[in-house]
Amino acid sequence: DPHVWLDPANMSAIGATVAKSLATSDPADQQAFNQRSSQFAASMTNLSKQFSDTLRSCTVKDMVVSHEAFAYLAKAVGLTQVGISGLSPDAEPSPARLAQVAELVKSKGVKTIYYETLVDPKVAKTLADETGTKAAVLDPLEGLPPGTTGDYVSIMRANLETLQQGQVCP
């Protein structure tokens, strides 16, 4: 799973690595890079805490997604990712897999099936219709649709709000 950036704690480490590399390339601005890296790390720590605090009390722990892009995020907040298809967003799930996920949705009380911004939501919406649940979008931040004005933090906060509602978190 290449989607390491969906866990804000990983983003903090990525930011520190980038800042260190930039400081090596441009020693004159090392102090500025270090300062911004510290600010970024604090921002990611805050975002990570928001996710943990908000999602720890969810009554639905299984997070059903159109494809398995959210494992890092799910693990960080104590949810279990269940993919309709594998890591490839374009893979069509087999009828057996659809039946298996539909059964899990019913038996575990899943309320929401998630799909992504840049992927056709047809399978997720069909499964939601067939199981009496709703479909909602999660943004994996792999690419931004035209007209998007958000940044990492605002998009992740939108994801948090969607998960809070979809996973039934008081």
Side-chain angles (χ1 to χ4, degrees):
D1 180 4
H3 304 89
V4 297
W5 59 87
L6 290 175
D7 177 354
N10 290 343
M11 280 298 289
S12 184
I14 291 166
T17 300
V18 169
K20 184 177 178 180
S21 179
L22 289 171
T24 300
S25 298
D26 184 4
D29 288 326
Q30 180 175 4
Q31 183 177 359
F33 293 132
N34 290 341
Q35 181 182 11
R36 293 290 291 150
S37 178
S38 293
Q39 292 169 345
F40 182 72
S43 173
M44 292 302 100
T45 297
N46 183 45
L47 184 60
S48 188
K49 183 176 179 348
Q50 289 173 2
F51 268 85
S52 295
D53 290 350
T54 302
L55 301 179
R56 101 177 64 173
S57 62
C58 296
T59 59
V60 177
K61 296 294 185 183
D62 292 287
M63 183 174 83
V64 178
V65 296
S66 58
H67 101 276
E68 297 173 344
F70 299 92
Y72 288 98
L73 177 60
K75 183 178 179 184
V77 298
L79 299 175
T80 302
Q81 173 184 251
V82 177
I84 298 170
S85 60
L87 279 173
S88 172
D90 299 323
E92 287 290 325
S94 69
R97 179 63 183 161
L98 286 171
Q100 182 182 35
V101 175
E103 180 56 36
L104 179 135
V105 166
K106 293 174 186 174
S107 69
K108 300 277 188 144
V110 171
K111 306 292 184 206
T112 305
I113 310 293
Y114 301 101
Y115 62 92
E116 298 177 28
T117 50
L118 299 176
V119 177
D120 185 353
K122 180 179 156 187
V123 172
K125 286 183 174 184
T126 299
L127 185 60
D129 288 344
E130 290 179 8
T131 58
T133 61
K134 65 179 184 172
V137 67
L138 284 178
D139 194 327
L141 292 151
E142 292 175 333
L144 300 177
T148 300
T149 59
D151 60 8
Y152 178 85
V153 173
S154 66
I155 291 169
M156 287 298 287
R157 284 190 179 134
N159 282 344
L160 175 58
E161 186 176 310
T162 299
L163 287 168
Q164 182 179 14
Q165 292 172 9
Q167 298 306 120
V168 191
C169 312

